[in-house]
Amino acid sequence: MTPLPHAELLDYNTFSLPAAAQWLVTLESLTEFAAVRSDPRWNTLPRLVLGGGSNVLFTCDFAGLVLVNRLKGIRVEDEGDHWLLHAAAGENWHELVCYCLQQGMPGLENLALIPGCVGAAPVQNIGAYGVELARFCAYVDTLRWGDGAAERISADDCRFGYRDSIFKHEYQESHLIVAVGLRLPKQWQPVLSYGPLAALGDRATPQAVFDIVCDTRKAKLPDPAVLGNAGSFFKNPVVAKALADRLKADYPSMPLYPAGEGQAKLAAGWLIDQCGLKGYAIGQAAVHQEQALVLVNRGGARAADLLALAAHVRDTVAARFGVTLEHEVRFMGAQGEVFLHEVMA
């Protein structure tokens, strides 16, 4: 463990935005946690835990400790009807999906190519193509910053919601995620309700689902190594069914999904596209030309450019459809997480 003062964060966020942290520490073993927790240089500073940095936008320099989670290890147990995977938080998520498929333990293939590390998966309750992490999560292992103790949190206690969990609220500052338990049924059941997967029908296999998901994501989403981005920038809005029905009557081609009693989910990308915003740019920040849900850094963008662009997209969609988009990407200010309505008030 080598603490780095005044550390550059350009390589720790997939938006490739310039920013610095007062301190940066890479955590590679659980034994290092006690040293990080007790060091007087950091125990009064704000903290930010990063894995792949694929869902964060630094609005400015971070005046605290950035902890890069590089905990590794995968363990598998046979539970009869299920496989139980115990994956360390620093493992790459997509590589875990590939590992499961190669080992004959399917189930996660709808979540292929989602960027980031395992530890970020329960925070956002990551999801794609009709599947969310909550479907398979058994538990989340954590260490508490307050007393250093280990705590296993059952899936039922994680309060999973749409791109939401207890780790974005009460446990955001108090718990460090160190591993995730995933329970995969041996009796595989494909989820084919979204997009091009429906065409598979009876021909569906885990590998076929994986291949289509990967091909679709590669075609729609830019590679962060080529064009800085954080994937889907906005959440798909959940609105009252009455509003959704009115919009559907005005726009018959509008995608619409059930979202519980009296609610419906809209496609944020479709709403943005209908506003003619693909390719719209402020400075070097732009709405992606192929996928309206993605905001990109075309090279040399400033945080202010991306924030102004996000606000313009939000306001344009609200003016046309009466729907306010919320950003899925986490915004980080000097002291911690901030929100678009705060920084662009």
Side-chain angles (χ1 to χ4, degrees), residues 5 11 23 65 80 89 112 120 152 162 189 256 273 275 280 297 314:
D11 294 334
W23 287 96
L65 171 67
R152 174 165 290 184
Y162 174 57
Q189 293 291 330
L256 189 63
D273 191 11
C275 292
Y280 184 88
N297 176 359
R314 176 200 61 189

Side-chain angles (χ1 to χ4, degrees), residues 39 66 93 105 113 124 146 188 190 197 207 233 238 290 296:
D39 195 301
V66 168
W93 175 261
M105 299 180 294
L113 273 186
Q124 289 287 109
W188 180 71
L197 295 177
Q207 188 64 51
F233 196 92
V238 176
E290 302 299 326
V296 299

Side-chain angles (χ1 to χ4, degrees), residues 30-50:
L30 292 177
T31 57
E32 295 173 339
F33 176 72
V36 173
R37 180 178 163 273
S38 62
D39 195 301
R41 291 175 292 181
W42 311 320
N43 55 22
T44 61
L45 295 178
R47 290 185 302 266
L48 170 63
V49 179
L50 289 181

Side-chain angles (χ1 to χ4, degrees), residues 54 114 223 309-310:
S54 59
I114 292 180
D223 184 349
L309 180 63

Side-chain angles (χ1 to χ4, degrees), residues 236-249:
N236 289 324
V238 176
V239 302
K241 190 174 184 301
L243 172 58
D245 290 342
R246 289 199 300 272
L247 290 173
K248 186 70 171 176

Side-chain angles (χ1 to χ4, degrees), residues 51-86:
S54 59
N55 198 48
V56 64
L57 189 162
F58 287 104
T59 66
C60 59
D61 290 345
F62 186 71
L65 171 67
V66 168
L67 186 69
V68 180
N69 193 326
R70 291 292 179 260
L71 299 172
K72 299 291 186 179
I74 300 172
R75 190 172 68 245
V76 180
E77 297 178 20
D78 188 336
E79 292 191 329
D81 292 339
H82 296 75
W83 299 108
L84 179 64
L85 278 76
H86 179 91

Side-chain angles (χ1 to χ4, degrees), residues 31-326:
T31 57
E32 295 173 339
F33 176 72
V36 173
R37 180 178 163 273
S38 62
D39 195 301
R41 291 175 292 181
W42 311 320
N43 55 22
T44 61
L45 295 178
R47 290 185 302 266
L48 170 63
V49 179
L50 289 181
S54 59
N55 198 48
V56 64
L57 189 162
F58 287 104
T59 66
C60 59
D61 290 345
F62 186 71
L65 171 67
V66 168
L67 186 69
V68 180
N69 193 326
R70 291 292 179 260
L71 299 172
K72 299 291 186 179
I74 300 172
R75 190 172 68 245
V76 180
E77 297 178 20
D78 188 336
E79 292 191 329
D81 292 339
H82 296 75
W83 299 108
L84 179 64
L85 278 76
H86 179 91
E91 292 284 348
N92 178 275
W93 175 261
H94 177 67
E95 290 177 5
L96 178 67
V97 175
C98 294
Y99 170 85
C100 291
L101 205 55
Q102 292 162 2
Q103 298 300 314
M105 299 180 294
L108 301 178
E109 49 280 341
N110 292 56
L111 305 178
L113 273 186
I114 292 180
C117 294
V118 168
V123 178
Q124 289 287 109
N125 185 22
I126 59 172
Y129 299 100
V131 174
E132 291 183 330
L133 177 85
R135 182 187 184 96
F136 300 108
C137 185
Y139 59 81
V140 177
D141 277 353
T142 69
L143 292 172
R144 296 197 298 253
W145 285 102
D147 59 9
E151 181 179 358
R152 174 165 290 184
I153 301 164
S154 70
D156 289 342
D157 291 330
C158 288
R159 293 218 318 256
F160 287 127
Y162 174 57
R163 301 299 177 270
D164 200 20
S165 73
I166 198 169
F167 304 105
K168 294 183 74 173
H169 303 286
E170 290 96 323
Y171 289 179
Q172 181 174 345
E173 301 294 335
S174 59
H175 290 64
L176 171 68
I177 295 173
V178 297
V180 177
L182 300 169
R183 187 168 280 118
L184 304 179
K186 291 185 179 179
Q187 188 64 42
W188 180 71
Q189 293 291 330
V191 178
L192 308 175
S193 55
Y194 275 64
L197 295 177
L200 283 173
D202 294 339
R203 298 177 294 107
T205 65
Q207 188 64 51
V209 172
F210 175 87
D211 291 342
I212 287 179
V213 168
C214 289
D215 290 345
T216 303
R217 290 185 70 91
K218 287 177 181 176
K220 293 172 61 176
L221 301 174
D223 184 349
V226 178
L227 199 61
N229 73 92
S232 299
F233 196 92
F234 294 100
K235 300 178 184 179
N236 289 324
V238 176
V239 302
K241 190 174 184 301
L243 172 58
D245 290 342
R246 289 199 300 272
L247 290 173
K248 186 70 171 176
D250 292 337
Y251 304 94
S253 65
M254 182 185 72
L256 189 63
Y257 308 101
E261 186 176 353
Q263 295 184 310
K265 184 186 295 182
L266 311 181
W270 187 90
L271 298 174
I272 298 167
D273 191 11
Q274 292 302 300
C275 292
L277 291 173
K278 279 184 177 176
Y280 184 88
I282 294 179
Q284 288 300 104
V287 179
H288 191 240
Q289 192 66 50
E290 302 299 326
Q291 172 51 270
L293 194 54
V294 178
L295 305 188
V296 299
N297 176 359
R298 299 191 300 190
R302 301 173 303 138
D305 298 332
L306 280 158
L307 294 172
L309 180 63
H312 178 76
V313 171
R314 176 200 61 189
D315 295 345
T316 304
V317 169
R320 177 164 180 177
F321 295 103
V323 175
T324 300
L325 297 180
E326 297 179 12

